[in-house]
Amino acid sequence: MLLTAPNAYAEVEPGGWTSTSPSFTVQERGCGQVDNLTFTLTCSTASGDQRAERRYATYTGGTRQFEGYFRIASMGGTRISLKQTFNESAAGPFFMLAGERGGRLYAVHGGATLSNAGTVGATVRVNTVHQVGSEHRTYINGSLKHSYASPGGSFYDKFGAYRTNSGSGPATVVWSGVKFWRK
């Protein structure tokens, strides 16, 4: 059975966007496995580096938008990072969207709940709009759910399945409809 994401009418915050296709590398660490756009953590280990992700090319300056649809196919663990905006200049995650068993989607830094739409089997659209040196905004299913100030510097996008410091697998996350824009 082939499942596809619905076609988006347009990116969030329309106007003046140019579609881009940044390069990426696949990261598999610990019990992480990547099969195209299916990201799996096969173990229940609550320590060490457990990740299955795509890491996209670094960007500096301007405004960047990411869009993707994810479906948590299984969640035997909890607190799994789904999407990150990584601050390469500060050598650490700048924004991490994670999911808990039961469907809560939250910002790892600060703990704010963004949505309860992340239940197993549900397809969720996530957009991040990042104005480098100004603000980072996160939309869930087209609605603005989180924003905060952004420093300048070098950043990159990552998505997949990554065990947060307080999380554990196993988990399988299927991504689709991934798009990038800049202006």
Side-chain angles (χ1 to χ4, degrees):
M1 179 174 167
L2 180 64
L3 296 174
T4 59
N7 290 329
Y9 292 107
E11 63 279 346
V12 297
E13 300 183 14
W17 295 103
T18 300
S19 180
T20 64
S21 298
S23 61
F24 67 88
T25 57
V26 172
Q27 297 182 331
E28 295 175 313
R29 296 200 188 144
C31 66
Q33 297 178 356
V34 177
D35 179 10
N36 193 20
L37 288 172
T38 299
F39 303 84
T40 304
L41 300 179
T42 61
C43 62
S44 59
T45 305
S47 63
D49 195 3
Q50 313 301 327
R51 70 175 68 192
E53 296 178 307
R54 277 189 178 183
R55 182 234 195 257
Y56 282 81
T58 299
Y59 60 88
T60 56
T63 301
R64 307 295 173 130
Q65 182 170 171
F66 164 89
E67 176 179 272
Y69 295 81
F70 69 84
R71 179 179 53 84
I72 298 171
S74 66
M75 177 77 83
T78 192
R79 301 180 76 78
I80 302 299
S81 177
L82 304 162
K83 162 66 174 72
Q84 297 179 44
T85 303
F86 199 91
N87 185 344
E88 199 169 51
S89 301
F94 169 66
F95 172 78
M96 292 176 73
L97 172 68
E100 289 182 333
R101 190 173 345 159
R104 177 179 174 250
L105 301 173
Y106 66 100
V108 171
H109 301 93
T113 297
L114 277 62
S115 174
N116 289 308
T119 55
V120 170
T123 297
V124 177
R125 175 183 169 198
V126 60
N127 293 73
T128 57
V129 176
H130 187 197
Q131 293 172 274
V132 177
S134 180
E135 190 173 45
H136 183 278
R137 295 179 290 281
T138 304
Y139 292 78
I140 302 295
N141 292 329
S143 296
L144 179 62
K145 297 295 185 179
H146 186 266
S147 63
Y148 61 14
S150 170
S154 300
F155 296 85
Y156 59 84
D157 290 303
K158 293 172 81 171
F159 66 84
Y162 169 77
R163 185 192 67 78
T164 65
N165 287 341
S166 60
S168 65
T172 298
V173 181
V174 179
W175 281 84
S176 61
V178 176
K179 297 176 184 172
F180 295 87
W181 296 274
R182 66 175 170 77
K183 65 176 173 179

